[in-house]
Amino acid sequence: MFVKVLVELSAFNIDKTFTYHVPFDMQKDIKVGIRVLVPFNSQELEGFLLEILDYTSIDAKDIIKIIDTEPILTKELLLLGRKISDETLSTLISSYQVMLPRALKARNKNHINIKYQQIVEIDNLNIILTSKQQEIIDKINEKGRCLYSELKKINSSVDTLLKKGILVKKNVEEYRLNIKNNKIYPRHELNEDQKMVFEEVKNNLNHNVNYLLHGITGSGKTEVYMELMEEVIKLGKSCLLLVPEITLTNQIAERVMSRFNKVAILHSALSDGEKYDEYRKIKRGEVDVVIGARSAVFAPLSNIGIIIIDECHTTSYYQDNMPRYDAIDVAKERCLYHSCPLVLGSATPTIDMYARASKNIYKLLTLSKRAGLSIPPKVTICDMTKEKKVHNTFLSGTLVNKIRERLDRHEQVILLQNRRGYSSTIMCTNCGYTMKCPNCDITLTYHKNKDIMRCHYCGYAKRKIDVCPHCSCKDIKELGLGTEKVEEDLQNIFSKVRIVRMDYDTTSKRGSHEKILSSFANYEYDILLGTQMIAKGLDFDKVTLVGVISCDNSLFMPTYRSSEDTYNLLNQVSGRSGRRNIQGEVVIQTYNPDHYAITLSCNNDYKSFYQREMMERKKGEYPPYYYLTEVIFKSSDYDFLSREVNKIKNILSYKLSDKKIIGPMMLYPFKVNNVNRFGIIIKYKKELDLKKVLKDLIDHIKLIIKLK
Ligand code: ADP
Ligand code: ZN
């Protein structure tokens, strides 16, 4: 028997399958989709068994060992991996590896163990018991089986009973993740609008329909998801709920767990052991609901009845390294395979998604009113060109007064500033010198608490300078505004205010995220100040004011999506305020108070925004009117890169004569970690042969790298 095995040769970034011979005694255990250990040059490698051959091969070596008894890549996942690798031009091996927890990837340095615990059960009760022994037996009768360590704590007669054969000790697998959930979330009867949405999807639970659920924040989308999941479970199938990483740590998981018992959770903050345990639970069919972030889309469920993707507009569903998959596309494939619906939910769908819905590629469902008793917040746009700033800070009088009111009433405030650090940079006032990262083409950000300048791309850090190295001038000024500076300004204005800051710098430790949020929820702080990581999915009873310190940098990001991103950001933020019984307020500080993304977002007028933005996209020849493909070229050798990239442009122009080719242009920042970066953009209306051209291009690049 001969088989094909796919191994990972990371140094080459290429796919390799090799033919091996299966020794006779192993043949009965051979299945497609298992991992095997094979000899490769002088090493031993793990690989996926992809094919059983019906022909012989003369010089094939023997497989050393079979690793799995059951395939870890099912038929569905094997097909899915091929599709992903084909669609995203990624290697097949990377597409399979990304589906598995680290413990199961085909690599040779996995030391993630299954954890066992000792339990005790009654075996043969045939003697008269002492009262101490009876105590142990009662405990076991009450629970069915008990942990040995717990019984030992009650009294030591457990050992006697074990010796006498009354009790037996067994090793069973222990699942490490242990989320305690004591909160109870009330269940609501669905309102009319929710019922319409629910009924529509419920009637199609056995069909592959892709839905776009456009529902404003607080319209009761999550409530609808839960009702739908309950229906799916009644059918004996399982549910997959994807949420952005950041909201997972918060209450949506709790809400799901308060409703369903058999839930698995997958997100990046879990340890490898915990992930492995959750994975096994799912694989064994022990759960009804999987809730997780992007990569949970590969959860090894065998009978999916629905996939729901909440906040489907966020970029967190797209993986920006190999394999560059979009979890939404993967979900579509899986729903097609399982003949079940896909529900994409958002308060602010992307323009592309909404355009698809208007062409009936997605079936549109709408929830346009708030579900609970809460009233939408009152939004004030604060024109910073007219506002007088308080004490030379970045805070307007309007915002400061409103914060003071909240502090006096013991209510809470959330403030958003989309940049971490203290100031964005420092500049010499005499010669204009700014300090750049030596590895990256970008200015360093000043972090006051450590008094260092840091590169946010590669992590390079340097002490702050007091004297300009260029002109020796000592007048060095801080420019721009980061979260640290805002915190300092607030402390100066409100001397006793309790502020907790949440940004990349304060959340790098595992669990720090949850800690900040729960301490804020427990009212240990008055103000939660953070970057956009606080904008999504937070729901606090006492928050009655949300302030956006500045939304102008988001508005002027150099991407065609900047208006859309700004609309979404402001809409998400303002959805946060006053969700229960008090009307909340939102203050947005901006130097562009008339920009349509800001005004329409504040009015919660998605449709007008969509229409206006579609006009802009048409004018600019951007998606969804045109497809864009960006090819990025990187090398530390500048001369080589710029020479080859220009040659490649000519090849592309020749091969794709009907398409617009823009570039090559330097990306921003051009240099990251001493690697230079160029991009070429291909704009087109119809795809046709682009994939073939790009595949050829990859081969061409491999060749010139080899020849270099
Ligand atoms: P979304 O996911 O759209 O933001 P949620 O499902 O979180 O909305 O609902 C917002 C709030 O309204 C929650 O506090 C929820 O408990 C409540 N809610 C949802 N549906 C109903 C309903 N039918 N009746 C009363 N309250 C509801
Ligand atoms: Zn750098």
Side-chain angles (χ1 to χ4, degrees):
M1 185 193 243
F2 293 86
V3 293
K4 273 217 159 123
V5 176
L6 178 69
V7 294
E8 184 171 58
L9 297 170
S10 45
F12 296 92
N13 216 358
I14 44 172
D15 277 320
K16 280 270 174 192
T17 52
F18 296 95
T19 304
Y20 287 91
H21 173 253
V22 185
F24 184 74
D25 59 322
M26 289 187 203
Q27 289 185 4
K28 62 180 188 328
D29 298 321
I30 287 292
K31 289 169 190 157
V32 170
I34 59 170
R35 286 171 304 164
V36 290
L37 191 66
V38 294
F40 187 83
N41 291 340
S42 56
Q43 345 160 34
E44 296 181 349
L45 292 182
E46 286 183 10
F48 297 109
L49 195 156
L50 293 191
E51 215 181 317
I52 298 170
L53 302 174
D54 50 13
Y55 53 84
T56 52
S57 167
I58 299 173
D59 40 281
K61 290 186 192 152
D62 277 4
I63 281 182
I64 300 169
K65 201 171 92 185
I66 290 177
I67 299 172
D68 305 300
T69 48
E70 286 305 314
I72 57 169
L73 293 172
T74 58
K75 192 175 144 217
E76 184 202 356
L77 295 183
L78 284 166
L79 287 171
L80 190 60
R82 283 201 188 278
K83 180 102 189 180
I84 290 171
S85 114
D86 193 48
E87 287 291 321
T88 68
L89 306 175
S90 304
T91 56
L92 187 57
I93 185 79
S94 71
S95 306
Y96 288 141
Q97 299 282 35
V98 77
M99 298 176 173
L100 300 168
R102 193 192 303 273
L104 296 178
K105 287 185 204 289
R107 288 188 182 132
N108 297 332
K109 289 192 191 80
N110 294 321
H111 297 293
I112 298 151
N113 299 323
I114 295 178
K115 207 173 160 189
Y116 290 93
Q117 55 189 2
Q118 285 190 318
I119 57 133
V120 172
E121 284 174 358
I122 297 172
D123 191 37
N124 182 18
L125 195 56
N126 59 0
I127 57 159
I128 298 176
L129 301 168
T130 65
S131 66
K132 275 194 166 180
Q133 290 170 343
Q134 187 62 47
E135 206 181 333
I136 297 284
I137 298 294
D138 287 348
K139 188 80 190 168
I140 299 176
N141 276 332
E142 181 193 321
K143 281 196 169 177
R145 60 191 202 186
C146 288
L147 285 181
Y148 171 72
S149 57
E150 274 171 23
L151 294 175
K152 185 95 182 172
K153 267 187 232 150
I154 298 175
N155 67 52
S156 61
S157 52
V158 57
D159 286 331
T160 322
L161 290 168
L162 281 165
K163 225 179 271 163
K164 290 191 171 164
I166 313 287
L167 300 178
V168 281
K169 222 194 249 180
K170 282 182 187 163
N171 270 335
V172 295
E173 283 185 25
E174 181 187 347
Y175 295 141
R176 275 157 279 208
L177 184 63
N178 189 6
I179 297 176
K180 290 194 190 69
N181 177 38
N182 310 316
K183 273 203 207 141
I184 293 170
Y185 288 85
R187 192 185 171 131
H188 301 282
E189 195 187 329
L190 298 184
N191 63 34
E192 287 306 309
D193 292 351
Q194 285 171 312
K195 259 186 212 149
M196 292 238 288
V197 171
F198 169 74
E199 291 293 333
E200 162 63 35
V201 183
K202 187 190 158 195
N203 292 334
N204 281 302
L205 283 183
N206 288 314
H207 300 283
N208 176 234
V209 186
N210 294 333
Y211 291 102
L212 176 62
L213 171 54
H214 176 214
I216 62 165
T217 313
S219 60
K221 295 185 290 297
T222 311
E223 207 65 30
V224 174
Y225 302 156
M226 305 242 257
E227 293 288 329
L228 285 170
M229 293 199 286
E230 203 164 292
E231 292 301 316
V232 168
I233 295 167
K234 275 189 210 157
L235 294 175
K237 297 185 186 178
S238 45
C239 315
L240 182 52
L241 172 61
L242 298 188
V243 297
E245 188 79 58
I246 249 139
T247 57
L248 242 184
T249 51
N250 205 251
Q251 27 88 14
I252 189 157
E254 277 179 7
R255 238 169 113 180
V256 170
M257 287 197 294
S258 84
R259 184 89 160 246
F260 304 103
N261 290 323
K262 300 181 190 168
V263 180
I265 294 194
L266 290 170
H267 65 88
S268 66
L270 302 187
S271 70
D272 285 331
E274 289 168 337
K275 280 184 203 155
Y276 185 27
D277 295 346
E278 296 298 289
Y279 178 92
R280 291 203 316 287
K281 262 194 236 173
I282 301 167
K283 180 100 182 168
R284 289 172 176 163
E286 291 171 11
V287 303
D288 293 326
V289 178
V290 175
I291 167 165
R294 178 176 61 230
S295 66
V297 75
F298 298 112
L301 293 164
S302 57
N303 58 345
I304 299 176
I306 194 167
I307 300 182
I308 298 167
I309 302 188
D310 192 34
E311 313 253 21
C312 62
H313 62 280
T314 57
T315 51
S316 70
Y317 292 117
Y318 177 72
Q319 173 160 301
D320 201 14
N321 49 44
M322 180 103 113
R324 292 192 159 71
Y325 71 95
D326 184 339
I328 295 179
D329 291 334
V330 176
K332 281 179 196 164
E333 283 299 317
R334 296 203 75 182
C335 288
L336 188 64
Y337 187 91
H338 291 273
S339 289
C340 72
L342 169 67
V343 177
L344 303 171
S346 173
T348 53
T350 65
I351 295 290
D352 294 18
M353 285 175 182
Y354 206 78
R356 278 183 208 178
S358 66
K359 286 187 149 181
N360 282 325
I361 299 169
Y362 296 150
K363 198 157 183 189
L364 184 65
L365 306 167
T366 312
L367 292 174
S368 49
K369 292 194 286 287
R370 288 206 168 204
L373 297 168
S374 65
I375 341 157
K378 178 171 165 262
V379 183
T380 310
I381 298 172
C382 199
D383 183 351
M384 294 300 277
T385 58
K386 295 194 186 123
E387 273 283 345
K388 233 177 126 180
K389 283 177 243 160
V390 174
H391 308 314
N392 208 9
T393 66
F394 294 85
L395 301 164
S396 63
T398 309
L399 185 55
V400 166
N401 287 338
K402 287 183 193 293
I403 294 174
R404 183 168 289 124
E405 274 171 34
R406 297 319 188 281
L407 296 178
D408 290 345
R409 296 205 298 255
H410 303 288
E411 293 168 2
Q412 287 178 300
V413 178
I414 291 179
L415 293 177
L416 181 101
Q417 173 56 23
N418 238 350
R419 184 186 281 142
R420 67 195 171 97
Y422 185 80
S423 59
S424 64
T425 190
I426 55 167
M427 189 184 83
C428 168
T429 51
N430 184 38
C431 73
Y433 170 87
T434 58
M435 203 190 292
K436 284 195 170 179
C437 173
N439 311 318
C440 309
D441 196 14
I442 195 149
T443 49
L444 301 175
T445 302
Y446 178 43
H447 289 249
K448 190 168 183 178
N449 63 347
K450 292 197 178 125
D451 204 36
I452 52 167
M453 310 284 298
R454 188 185 287 281
C455 170
H456 285 187
Y457 280 82
C458 73
Y460 170 87
K462 185 179 165 50
R463 281 233 155 278
K464 189 197 158 199
I465 48 164
D466 300 316
V467 179
C468 174
H470 191 234
C471 72
S472 305
C473 167
K474 282 188 182 161
D475 195 4
I476 292 183
K477 228 177 105 187
E478 290 145 12
L479 287 182
L481 170 68
T483 43
E484 274 184 47
K485 174 83 169 80
V486 176
E487 184 177 3
E488 189 181 280
D489 285 352
L490 287 164
Q491 292 287 5
N492 287 338
I493 300 172
F494 307 106
S495 56
K496 286 202 192 104
V497 68
R498 299 168 302 164
I499 304 170
V500 61
R501 185 157 58 83
M502 186 157 115
D503 54 29
Y504 184 82
D505 300 310
T506 63
T507 53
S508 49
K509 261 198 233 118
R510 199 180 159 209
S512 50
H513 214 117
E514 294 88 330
K515 220 161 141 189
I516 292 175
L517 294 179
S518 66
S519 61
F520 185 64
N522 290 334
Y523 198 53
E524 288 162 38
Y525 297 98
D526 305 301
I527 298 180
L528 171 64
L529 165 68
T531 52
Q532 71 183 28
M533 66 167 68
I534 66 170
K536 285 173 207 134
L538 308 181
D539 186 5
F540 300 102
D541 292 344
K542 280 192 160 220
V543 172
T544 56
L545 175 65
V546 174
V548 179
I549 310 282
S550 160
C551 63
D552 298 313
N553 48 355
S554 156
L555 208 50
F556 296 113
M557 290 299 274
T559 140
Y560 71 90
R561 282 203 216 92
S562 60
S563 294
E564 178 176 348
D565 291 343
T566 307
Y567 183 96
N568 291 350
L569 179 70
L570 296 182
N571 204 270
Q572 298 281 339
V573 175
S574 49
R576 302 277 71 88
S577 184
R579 288 180 59 141
R580 295 281 151 79
N581 28 33
I582 326 167
Q583 187 183 26
E585 256 198 282
V586 175
V587 174
I588 293 162
Q589 301 193 140
T590 174
Y591 285 93
N592 301 277
D594 301 321
H595 194 285
Y596 66 96
I598 298 176
T599 53
L600 294 173
S601 186
C602 294
N603 288 332
N604 219 341
D605 188 354
Y606 181 83
K607 267 202 188 135
S608 302
F609 174 72
Y610 169 74
Q611 281 155 4
R612 171 71 197 266
E613 183 62 16
M614 284 293 269
M615 268 164 45
E616 301 290 329
R617 299 284 178 93
K618 195 169 185 175
K619 247 194 286 171
E621 302 189 337
Y622 287 121
Y625 292 98
Y626 285 79
Y627 292 103
L628 292 184
T629 293
E630 184 173 31
V631 190
I632 295 173
F633 303 83
K634 301 183 201 176
S635 169
S636 50
D637 182 341
Y638 175 86
D639 293 334
F640 169 70
L641 182 68
S642 66
R643 187 177 64 237
E644 291 302 330
V645 100
N646 278 300
K647 278 196 220 155
I648 285 168
K649 180 195 172 153
N650 292 336
I651 298 173
L652 286 175
S653 306
Y654 173 73
K655 288 198 176 175
L656 302 168
S657 52
D658 54 333
K659 300 178 172 71
K660 253 193 200 169
I661 304 206
I662 303 160
M665 58 210 156
M666 293 167 130
L667 297 179
Y668 177 79
F670 178 62
K671 203 168 80 180
V672 174
N673 243 332
N674 287 317
V675 173
N676 309 293
R677 310 180 315 148
F678 281 104
I680 291 178
I681 290 176
I682 308 164
K683 251 187 196 184
Y684 51 102
K685 276 237 167 230
K686 287 208 191 78
E687 192 167 3
L688 294 173
D689 50 355
L690 183 61
K691 214 154 54 186
K692 164 99 181 53
V693 173
L694 290 178
K695 274 185 185 159
D696 290 348
L697 180 62
I698 291 173
D699 291 338
H700 170 80
I701 290 168
K702 276 180 194 153
L703 191 70
I704 55 177
I705 291 172
K706 217 177 196 176
L707 294 178
K708 193 188 158 196

